[in-house]
Amino acid sequence: MGRIYLIGDRAELDRRRPLVDRAVLTEVWQDLHTGDVVWLGPEAARRVAYGQPRVGAPGGLFWLGETTKRALDAVGDHPLPFVLAVDEAAVPVYYGPHLAHVESLPGEESLRARVLSGHGIGVVCVTYDQFGARNDYQPSAPTDPTFLLRRPGGGIAHRWRLFRTQREAVVYLAEYYGKDAEAQEWAERLPAGDFDALLARFGRTA
């Protein structure tokens, strides 16, 4: 199991991405909730706080998976520095009982990076509802907890619902999947109660 990385050096990301072989897909997701950033110090496992005056390099924050990080490391003279690394297992994925068109599913590295970019702690595939009917909900903004994501070149755009708190996941899945015991167990076993708790428990600086 790999890690999902939070990168703060946009200039270096932009410099390296064109150098990667075109046959290698690099997927990078900008943090959707970053306003200003403050560094809390070396004693904190979670190094990033939001809503405070910026101290540090400008250019935003970006989440990317292990494969993309490895490709970017290979075209630089040193590994791409990261702010935080989060174990992939800390961001669970639930596919639900009506999974279809699996050839169009995005890679889990990219999916998890996208979830972290929205400050989610887990994600559920909601392409189809509990009755097997296609969900036609259209996200209204990049920060909408429901989003579309598919494998590059895939024919079907899958819908996903991220959760920012465990309580939100429990309530939503009880409504969306009805009495699906597996869905409820998944929500109740999420490894963190909210995004701050996830970074505090699983975020690593080295």
Side-chain angles (χ1 to χ4, degrees):
M1 184 66 72
R3 299 192 289 179
I4 308 298
Y5 296 89
L6 179 63
I7 306 296
D9 191 341
R10 179 171 189 166
E12 188 63 12
L13 271 176
D14 290 344
R15 187 189 72 80
R16 294 190 188 199
R17 289 188 77 181
L19 303 177
V20 176
D21 189 312
R22 291 184 180 182
V24 178
L25 179 65
T26 57
E27 296 181 279
V28 177
W29 297 98
Q30 183 165 9
D31 191 293
L32 298 174
H33 295 272
T34 302
D36 292 315
V37 180
V38 60
W39 303 105
L40 300 182
E43 298 302 317
R46 178 171 62 88
R47 298 289 300 281
V48 181
Y50 300 86
Q52 301 295 326
R54 182 185 297 279
V55 178
L61 295 169
F62 302 84
W63 294 94
L64 50 87
E66 191 82 51
T67 302
T68 294
K69 173 74 160 55
R70 191 179 304 119
L72 294 170
D73 286 348
V75 296
D77 56 6
H78 60 273
L80 188 65
F82 59 90
V83 178
L84 286 175
V86 177
D87 290 342
E88 287 183 355
V91 187
V93 179
Y94 181 64
Y95 289 101
H98 298 291
L99 183 64
H101 306 290
V102 295
E103 71 283 353
S104 292
L105 290 172
E108 287 195 346
E109 281 187 14
S110 179
L111 177 60
R112 288 182 165 113
R114 172 62 180 84
V115 171
L116 289 174
S117 80
H119 292 193
I121 62 172
V123 66
V124 170
C125 185
V126 292
T127 307
Y128 297 94
D129 65 18
Q130 61 177 304
F131 305 109
R134 185 167 177 81
N135 177 6
D136 292 325
Y137 176 81
Q138 294 297 324
S140 59
T143 53
D144 194 313
T146 299
F147 60 94
L148 303 175
L149 189 62
R150 64 183 175 185
R151 185 177 300 276
I156 299 295
H158 288 278
R159 283 169 174 78
W160 306 89
R161 177 56 156 85
L162 65 79
F163 302 105
R164 298 187 176 105
T165 70
Q166 184 176 34
R167 176 61 181 165
E168 179 189 15
V170 170
V171 172
Y172 182 93
L173 290 178
E175 296 176 354
Y176 193 85
Y177 283 124
K179 297 181 179 180
D180 184 343
E182 185 179 1
Q184 282 299 296
E185 182 181 4
W186 179 89
E188 291 166 1
R189 295 182 64 180
L190 285 169
D194 59 27
F195 185 69
D196 284 346
L198 184 146
L199 295 190
R201 180 178 179 186
F202 298 103
R204 300 291 183 266
T205 58

